[in-house]
Amino acid sequence: MRGRRGDRMTINIQEHMAINVCPGPIRPIRQISDYFPRGPGPEGGGGGGGEAPAHLVPLALAPPAALLGATTPEDGAEVDSYDSDDATALGTLEFDLLYDRASCTLHCSILRAKGLKPMDFNGLADPYVKLHLLPGACKANKLKTKTQRNTLNPVWNENLTYSGITDDDITHKVLRIAVCDEDKLSHNEFIGEIRVPLRRLKPSQKKHFNICLERQVPLASPSSMSAALRGISCYLKELEQVEQGQGLLEERGRILLSLSYSSRRRGLLVGILRCAHLAAMDVNGYSDPYVKTYLRPDVDKKSKHKTCVKKKTLNPEFNEEFFYEIELSTLATKTLEVTVWDYDIGKSNDFIGGVSLGPGARGEARKHWSDCLQQPDAALERWHTLTSELPPAAGALSSA
């Protein structure tokens, strides 16, 4: 319908109401009844005659959800509170991981992030990155970068290192990398996270990652879960405990021990070298750790040795050595108990974690003990995991 310039174009109400609002150029449609053909009769056609003209083909109307790019319930997808483009809306994180088997360390190089989700009123964020090794005590093995102010594309270039990492950790543990927004006036806000199974790493080979951040979807509360989901949830929890082995023991950090049986001095040399990622026992987020050792059974109660106290640290270095005069044949029947404590003034000291090495131990602790007996005069250094299990005899001596 076209007219000369200056002429007023007339459009009846039916044409006006039938304007196509789909994306694209707006074009009038001759009759709204073309979309809703009625049967023959005096009221059919809505004033425009009987049936629609032959040259007009009714268009298929799409559901409103399809026009907006949303999924419909027929797709079978469960609707949640998160946007479908979270993978790109949260941003990406670039980092490197390197497992050094010789030094038992995991090097995490946090490089940069791009396109982070704005978290502050100014449309920016104050992002930082924190790392956790799972499963394990989150506070004991948390590492954190510095905060970059007012940016959605922060550059850190920081190296964070986990000490005491063994091949068993590489096989079973997962590194959780979370990006958060620091807020001085309230609690810090979570932006997104990445979880990397350490089994993807090869010893002494740096691996580069550039991955989209993901939002951790919260689990439904037990009251809102169906009976089937509750059963599956219980099954997964039991399976996780079985896979972890020591499911009920909480990790409290790592300790580096040196064992050597001296043939010349006829005794055992125990070196307390250092601890890493100890659990924080004080309100300031740190501990005042020291180490005690016993050689059990201890009939005469003369086997206790104790290091000095290191103030306000979760990664103390002791470098102290103790000597037990004992024959090699007798040593094979003994158990070395190593416990780490937090020193407190005026009250009983807090137990941080412990490990036992001897014929009744398991895993790396037993192997370290047997290697010491089989290789006299050789100084053997190994990392050991401290757990929440308190040796029975140590409980009565917590204040010592």
Side-chain angles (χ1 to χ4, degrees), residues 157-383:
N157 288 327
E158 290 190 39
N159 295 318
L160 305 176
T161 302
Y162 280 104
S163 300
I165 302 299
T166 62
D167 289 343
D168 185 68
D169 294 325
I170 296 298
T171 303
H172 297 98
K173 288 190 177 292
V174 174
L175 179 65
R176 177 180 182 259
I177 307 176
V179 181
C180 301
D181 171 61
E182 185 179 277
D183 197 334
K184 293 183 177 180
L185 301 180
S186 64
H187 64 278
N188 299 336
E189 296 180 294
F190 174 83
I191 299 178
E193 70 170 27
I194 297 169
R195 300 197 179 198
V196 182
L198 296 185
R199 61 177 178 269
R200 297 177 59 182
L201 305 180
K202 296 181 180 180
S204 303
Q205 292 186 17
K206 181 183 291 186
K207 190 172 181 63
H208 182 75
F209 296 86
N210 190 3
I211 310 178
C212 292
L213 296 173
E214 298 177 355
R215 181 175 294 175
Q216 186 177 6
V217 181
L219 295 176
S221 61
S223 59
S224 64
M225 299 171 69
S226 65
L229 287 178
R230 283 196 294 270
I232 293 174
S233 176
C234 294
Y235 167 76
L236 291 177
K237 288 181 180 179
E238 293 178 1
L239 180 63
E240 183 180 2
Q241 290 183 356
V242 172
E243 290 179 347
Q244 292 181 15
Q246 299 176 337
L248 301 178
L249 299 181
E250 180 187 0
E251 273 193 27
R252 297 293 185 86
R254 303 294 174 91
I255 186 169
L256 180 60
L257 300 176
S258 172
L259 297 182
S260 175
Y261 184 82
S262 174
S263 301
R264 182 179 60 85
R265 299 176 62 184
R266 293 186 178 274
L268 176 67
L269 285 169
V270 179
I272 309 298
L273 304 182
R274 56 177 297 202
C275 295
H277 319 300
L278 294 179
M281 307 302 290
D282 298 335
V283 293
N284 59 6
Y286 293 96
S287 293
D288 301 322
Y290 67 94
V291 180
K292 292 192 296 184
T293 64
Y294 291 89
L295 199 59
R296 308 286 188 188
D298 184 18
V299 179
D300 299 330
K301 298 183 179 181
K302 296 180 179 180
S303 68
K304 186 184 79 170
H305 290 285
K306 186 169 68 171
T307 68
C308 62
V309 178
K310 299 294 182 179
K311 294 290 187 178
K312 198 178 179 181
T313 178
L314 301 180
N315 300 278
E317 293 191 11
F318 298 100
N319 294 316
E320 297 187 34
E321 192 174 71
F322 306 131
F323 179 74
Y324 291 99
E325 184 176 354
I326 188 172
E327 294 293 332
L328 183 61
S329 58
T330 307
L331 183 63
T333 63
K334 298 286 188 177
T335 296
L336 179 66
E337 289 182 357
V338 182
T339 54
V340 183
W341 300 80
D342 171 55
Y343 177 75
D344 288 322
I345 300 177
K347 58 181 180 179
S348 61
N349 300 324
D350 298 320
F351 174 72
I352 297 179
V355 61
S356 296
L357 295 85
R362 289 185 289 181
E364 188 64 29
R366 180 168 184 170
K367 188 176 185 303
H368 193 187
W369 186 256
S370 61
D371 289 347
C372 173
L373 298 179
Q374 296 171 9
Q375 304 175 38
D377 302 314
L380 304 175
E381 295 182 5
R382 305 279 173 81
W383 283 95

